[in-house]
Amino acid sequence: MKTSRQFFISSFLTALVILFLTIPPTAHGQDGPVIVYGDSRHGHDIHRDIVSAIIAETPAAVFHTGDYVTTPDQEDQWNTFFEIITPLRDAAPFYPARGNHDGDGTSFISRFSIPQGTSWYAVDLPDLRFLVLDSNAVSYTHLRAHETVLDLV
């Protein structure tokens, strides 16, 4: 059975109320929502509140769209980010995407221990496939790698 959800989203420029249907529970036991959020490099108290709200939803998976820190070579910023999300990573699988404030691909991959060893990958959940791409990597080699991931669809 599908469930209707309503969310309020705001930014400096606009505010939206979005209504959508969540995926139905599957025979594989995935009955929590898949949550996507990002740009958590500012407002650590707000980020903590967001993490608590996500955990309360008992998600099946969490995707972060990037921009974890303001200055990627500042280790204290990464330490704060990981301190905030530790309870979230304990509660659900956490899938990161590289944002334009997150340093080079090598640093990103090593911080998150992405199994495929790239900043782009596919995630399979019951009845769903998510593609995590890295639009910061702009070269022929990277574009060919994205095509390889898109071939997985």
Side-chain angles (χ1 to χ4, degrees), residues 3-118:
T3 303
S4 175
R5 300 278 181 150
Q6 181 174 329
F7 287 88
F8 176 75
I9 300 172
S10 68
S11 72
F12 296 111
L13 302 176
T14 187
L16 302 170
V17 175
I18 298 175
L19 180 67
F20 63 95
L21 297 177
T22 61
I23 59 173
T26 68
H28 303 286
Q30 177 184 321
D31 56 0
V34 174
I35 295 182
V36 180
Y37 85 110
D39 202 353
S40 55
R41 67 186 188 272
H42 301 293
H44 300 307
D45 290 336
I46 293 169
H47 188 201
R48 283 183 181 86
D49 291 344
I50 290 169
V51 165
S52 294
I54 291 171
I55 292 170
E57 292 290 323
T58 58
V62 177
F63 290 81
H64 193 296
T65 61
D67 290 351
Y68 308 91
V69 298
T70 302
T71 311
D73 61 351
Q74 297 292 317
E75 199 63 33
D76 62 317
Q77 292 180 18
W78 285 104
N79 291 339
T80 300
F81 171 78
F82 283 113
E83 175 264 319
I84 292 170
I85 68 156
T86 293
L88 180 57
R89 291 180 80 176
D90 291 343
F94 184 88
Y95 301 102
R98 182 174 157 228
N100 65 320
H101 290 95
D102 300 328
D104 67 23
T106 304
S107 172
F108 170 81
I109 293 164
S110 68
R111 289 187 188 281
F112 287 101
S113 302
I114 297 170
Q116 293 86 342
T118 67

